[in-house]
Amino acid sequence: MQCDVRKEAAFDVVTLKGEVDLSTSPAVRQAILASLEAGAPVAIELGEVTYIDSSGVASLVEGYQTAKSRGLPFTLVGASESVMGVLELARLDKVFPLAATLGELTADGG
Amino acid sequence: MKAGDDHGREASLRVLADELRDPLGLLADVSQAFATSLDLDETLENTVAQISHYMHAEAASLFLLENDDSELVCKASAGPVDVVGLRLEADQGIVGKSVASGQVQFIRDVGEDPDFAGFVDATTGFETRSVLCAPLLLRGHCLGAMEVLNKGEGDGLFDASDRHLLQVLASSAALVIRNARRAVELVEQERIRKELELAREIQATLLPGRGNPADPIVGVNIPAREVSGDFYDYYRLADGRMAFSLGDVSGKGMNAALLMAKTSSLLHCLGKGITRPSELLAQVNREVCESVTRGMFVTLVAGIYDPAHDEVCLANAGHQPPMLLDVAGAMTELPATAPPLGILGEVEFPEQRVRLEGRRLYLFTDGVTEAPGPSGGDLGVEGLRAELAAHGALPARERLERVVAELAAREALRRDDITLMVIESPGETAHRYTFEARAENLEGLRVYVDGVLRTMTCAERLRDQLVLAVNEACMNIIQHGYGGDTRDAITLQILNNDGILEFRVEDSAQRVDAARIKPRDLTDIRPGGLGTHFIREIMDEVDYRVPEHGTGNLLVMRKRLSNHEVARDAV
């Protein structure tokens, strides 16, 4: 799994690639929380995530709740089919703010 | 041999001997003429006749040691009285003295010798005046002795040159005898070898063939000798059930093989009509008792496997306990409930019933457990269990052949027959995966599950979900069962029973209280607790159990592969 963070517009963009599971989700969690603690709005790019399990989803949920409590935007971008499948199973597909592309998000001026 | 032949041979020998005044000529003749003969008696007779004739003896005889060198038996004689078959104690008379001392005995005038037995004369009427007797020595080992009596020319008494000649001829005769004996032994060995080979071929036809790979029963057998005392058999009954038997006849060799042939034939024949193992064994036992040689017996397990109910019903007559192995390699033994066959005519053979439920039932003979183990000493039941568990992921036949090959490789000279059989549910395709309970190993687990599911008709979306569910189950075990990464194992088994997939996940962690494992309330949005929800959402049935061996946890998850899923996969 790959987890990279970069600045784009106002956002900290966290790009995840590969498989997010119990062995890799702690790094994801840490990256997300670090950006939020620094006060940055966070966008998580999930287009190249091939697998995510409940521990990965839990990291996203924790990030979402932390962002909410701090009043920061938190958006999942371009979630792959496999990610969406798991979010649907968890009934979280209606909970997370979703964007198809990062451009869509930055154009909104968020 | 006909008298006419005798006269003919004597005449020709006389001519030959007349021509060969040189003793070396006779020596060469004795050695060469008969060294290639395969008939020892004929060789001896010719040798004695020739020597007797050459030495102008009135009579000659040759005695060989028999019965562990305790007796001297006359094997050939020439002269007026036929003493062939005469038996002497090994140290009796002049012949005995010659054999005992390894020296030529020369009694120029018998009347003056106290050692002379005298009884030959009394019973045959032959009057012995002069005796010369030489031991048949070969490399210090004495085979017997050759005696000539009464010289037929001059004063009728042998002299020193005769003594020397007989000594030389006796040595040559010893060589001829040894060669002829060896030739006879070789011919006999070859005959026995061919007979055993034939017996083995016949016996092999009594064992089932390789069978159908889909059969729930598989067996392998390697005989230690050309013929085997072990047997096994299985065949399908008209109603779809499978009859099986596996046994071991006491003792080795041809007797054991014949009793094996009889017992397995009875079982095969009667087993088609009598499908209650208790009745079948009682009947076969009565038959075996009627004819069995005293002291021989048969240990045996026979039974029926019913694939429709996944149930084995068997009876065990004094045989090693069959071994029931579960997914995690834990063992339950089914001990004998009756004595072996062939000991008591009227015995009851109580039946045992067991449902396989994904477990495998192994039957084997003591040739397996008494074979050398990997670290010396006997393999033993525990060693066999470990070997079978180690190869648990292989299909049944490959698994048995691998284990047997490993046993054979450790035992250059196999002491005993090796026979091993397994009965397992037909739906079981032996998909089994064991790994250390560590987060880093989950990826390998997912690859494995995905690979197994790809061999089945399973839609891609469902496949992803099933991989997720199994991953979640194992993740829960790592996080909550073992409390983090550990070297302890998790074992997954995937079964496909007629379109119902069964995932069995077993661990050795502290017992989990199933009542406390609840999916989280999804309206409460928080991290954690999702895994159990995923499992329940994806699977049709989820069942937390205690494994058969009593420790750890067994999670059984089932999912029906619906037509809908299959159809969607095909589109």
Side-chain angles (χ1 to χ4, degrees):
Chain A
M1 200 261 330
Q2 227 181 302
C3 173
D4 300 313
V5 185
R6 68 175 197 276
K7 296 266 181 206
E8 187 155 334
F11 288 87
D12 269 14
V13 180
V14 180
T15 306
L16 304 180
K17 292 177 184 174
E19 305 202 336
V20 184
D21 72 357
L22 184 62
S23 65
T24 54
S25 58
V28 174
R29 175 179 176 274
Q30 218 171 3
I32 293 172
L33 294 183
S35 292
L36 291 172
E37 271 162 32
V42 169
I44 320 273
E45 281 193 313
L46 297 165
E48 291 179 58
V49 171
T50 52
Y51 176 84
I52 187 163
D53 70 4
S54 66
S55 72
V57 174
S59 301
L60 299 182
V61 170
E62 192 178 352
Y64 168 68
Q65 290 175 325
T66 306
K68 217 172 157 190
S69 68
R70 292 175 178 240
L72 291 167
F74 183 89
T75 312
L76 306 186
V77 179
S80 64
E81 205 176 308
S82 58
V83 172
M84 281 312 292
V86 176
L87 293 182
E88 282 164 22
L89 266 182
R91 313 283 190 272
L92 288 168
D93 52 321
K94 303 283 188 291
V95 174
F96 286 116
L98 301 171
T101 63
L102 194 60
E104 184 185 308
L105 196 62
T106 48
D108 285 351
Chain B
M1 194 179 293
K2 287 174 190 161
D5 291 347
D6 276 348
H7 290 304
R9 180 176 296 118
E10 244 174 74
S12 66
L13 287 173
R14 196 170 297 123
V15 172
L16 185 71
D18 288 342
E19 288 168 358
L20 296 170
R21 298 317 301 176
D22 176 4
L24 285 175
L26 174 65
L27 233 167
D29 193 48
V30 167
S31 302
Q32 288 178 9
F34 309 123
T36 53
S37 170
L38 296 184
D39 185 333
L40 183 59
D41 289 343
E42 189 184 309
T43 304
L44 297 177
E45 210 171 305
N46 288 333
T47 306
V48 167
Q50 211 171 0
I51 290 171
S52 169
H53 187 83
Y54 182 81
M55 294 190 69
H56 301 285
E58 282 181 10
S61 53
L62 185 145
F63 287 77
L64 292 182
L65 282 162
E66 285 192 355
N67 294 332
D68 291 333
D69 295 353
S70 68
E71 270 189 322
L72 281 160
V73 181
C74 181
K75 290 295 185 183
S77 77
V81 181
D82 185 0
V83 289
V84 171
L86 179 71
R87 289 172 180 272
L88 302 173
E89 306 250 334
D91 58 354
Q92 192 181 346
I94 290 170
V95 179
K97 199 169 174 184
S98 177
V99 167
S101 65
Q103 304 285 328
V104 176
Q105 301 296 309
F106 181 28
I107 303 155
R108 191 171 155 76
D109 193 342
V110 161
E112 297 168 5
D113 191 274
D115 275 338
F116 189 62
F119 101 28
V120 179
D121 276 13
T123 50
T124 64
F126 183 83
E127 190 196 337
T128 304
R129 296 189 308 280
S130 181
V131 182
L132 188 54
C133 184
L136 300 169
L137 285 171
L138 194 73
R139 292 197 193 114
H141 179 70
C142 189
L143 306 176
M146 183 186 277
E147 188 179 50
V148 286
L149 305 173
N150 303 353
K151 194 159 182 176
E153 56 179 29
D155 59 1
L157 302 176
F158 293 110
D159 58 24
S161 67
D162 294 319
R163 174 192 171 125
H164 182 66
L165 181 58
L166 186 65
Q167 195 170 7
V168 173
L169 290 173
S171 295
S172 179
L175 193 64
V176 170
I177 290 164
R178 201 274 312 266
N179 286 347
R181 273 184 173 170
R182 281 198 179 165
V184 168
E185 276 169 17
L186 283 176
V187 168
E188 179 66 5
Q189 281 169 10
E190 179 62 14
R191 189 184 64 78
I192 291 172
R193 196 187 63 78
K194 281 192 172 152
E195 275 185 13
L196 287 175
E197 211 169 273
L198 191 64
R200 180 185 180 169
E201 277 172 29
I202 293 168
Q203 210 170 22
T205 65
L206 298 173
L207 299 175
R210 284 180 71 87
N212 184 332
D215 279 344
I217 303 179
V218 171
V220 294
N221 162 267
I222 308 180
R225 302 183 179 185
E226 285 81 355
V227 289
S228 175
D230 282 10
F231 64 92
Y232 74 95
D233 191 15
Y234 58 85
Y235 52 88
R236 199 173 283 278
L237 299 169
D239 60 9
R241 293 185 297 164
M242 300 279 298
F244 63 88
S245 60
L246 179 142
D248 188 359
V249 175
S250 65
K252 301 275 164 287
M254 198 57 99
N255 272 353
L258 289 173
L259 184 53
M260 167 268 173
K262 174 172 182 151
T263 310
S264 67
S265 300
L266 281 170
L267 284 165
H268 191 85
C269 181
L270 295 175
K272 287 175 180 165
I274 308 172
T275 57
R276 291 295 304 264
S278 54
E279 289 173 27
L280 178 64
L281 288 200
Q283 179 86 26
V284 172
N285 181 45
R286 279 192 290 272
E287 292 286 335
V288 169
C289 278
E290 277 180 24
S291 62
V292 75
T293 314
R294 206 176 173 78
M296 292 191 79
F297 55 87
V298 184
T299 70
L300 169 74
V301 178
I304 299 281
Y305 173 62
D306 181 355
H309 299 95
D310 195 28
E311 187 178 71
V312 174
C313 174
L314 59 80
N316 184 343
H319 197 76
Q320 292 222 55
M323 182 193 286
L324 200 54
L325 284 195
D326 70 11
V327 180
M331 168 175 69
T332 310
E333 293 185 288
L334 306 176
T337 49
L341 306 189
I343 293 175
L344 288 168
E346 292 305 320
V347 183
E348 292 200 349
F349 297 91
E351 290 172 0
Q352 295 166 282
R353 286 175 184 273
V354 58
R355 291 195 61 172
L356 293 184
E357 298 179 312
R359 294 174 296 176
R360 294 155 176 177
L361 184 63
Y362 291 99
L363 285 71
F364 46 93
T365 55
D366 56 9
V368 175
T369 44
E370 288 171 10
S375 50
D378 287 356
L379 178 68
V381 172
E382 171 52 30
L384 175 62
R385 186 207 63 76
E387 297 241 356
L388 290 168
H391 298 301
L394 291 174
R397 177 162 296 281
E398 279 88 331
R399 189 183 330 132
L400 298 196
E401 285 176 350
R402 178 77 66 87
V403 168
V404 163
E406 283 177 11
L407 296 187
R410 283 198 290 269
E411 195 172 18
L413 283 171
R414 199 162 35 259
R415 291 168 299 179
D416 205 350
D417 307 327
I418 289 177
T419 305
L420 182 58
M421 184 194 267
V422 65
I423 304 169
E424 53 192 55
S425 313
E428 191 190 334
T429 42
H431 296 298
R432 193 162 176 274
Y433 188 76
T434 299
F435 60 101
E436 279 183 12
R438 313 173 77 81
E440 71 208 41
N441 292 334
L442 289 170
E443 187 178 355
L445 169 77
R446 294 194 297 269
V447 169
Y448 175 79
V449 176
D450 185 73
V452 170
L453 294 177
R454 278 174 194 275
T455 66
M456 300 169 183
T457 316
C458 177
E460 186 184 345
R461 184 183 155 82
L462 177 62
R463 193 169 71 224
D464 287 348
Q465 291 190 343
L466 292 172
V467 169
L468 178 69
V470 173
N471 180 86
E472 295 296 335
C474 295
M475 199 166 89
N476 277 344
I477 293 170
I478 295 171
Q479 287 185 296
H480 308 299
Y482 288 121
D485 283 358
T486 164
R487 300 198 74 90
D488 291 322
I490 297 176
T491 297
L492 165 73
Q493 194 178 20
I494 307 174
L495 313 173
N496 183 355
N497 293 318
D498 286 336
I500 298 176
L501 286 181
E502 185 170 292
F503 300 86
R504 301 169 74 91
V505 186
E506 192 169 326
D507 64 60
S508 55
Q510 286 282 313
R511 189 75 48 79
V512 169
D513 180 3
R516 288 182 52 223
I517 304 171
K518 289 178 188 157
R520 52 166 276 199
D521 179 359
L522 288 177
T523 56
D524 172 19
I525 298 184
R526 59 175 172 81
L530 273 172
T532 307
H533 164 73
F534 284 171
I535 294 168
R536 297 216 182 250
E537 188 78 7
I538 293 165
M539 297 292 181
D540 297 333
E541 284 174 53
V542 180
D543 190 8
Y544 293 87
R545 299 186 196 170
V546 177
E548 190 85 12
H549 53 88
T551 57
N553 303 281
L554 173 63
L555 170 62
V556 181
M557 304 177 286
R558 292 201 186 87
K559 180 72 180 179
R560 175 176 289 279
L561 291 175
S562 66
N563 292 334
H564 176 66
E565 284 291 347
V566 173
R568 190 156 66 185
D569 196 33
V571 171

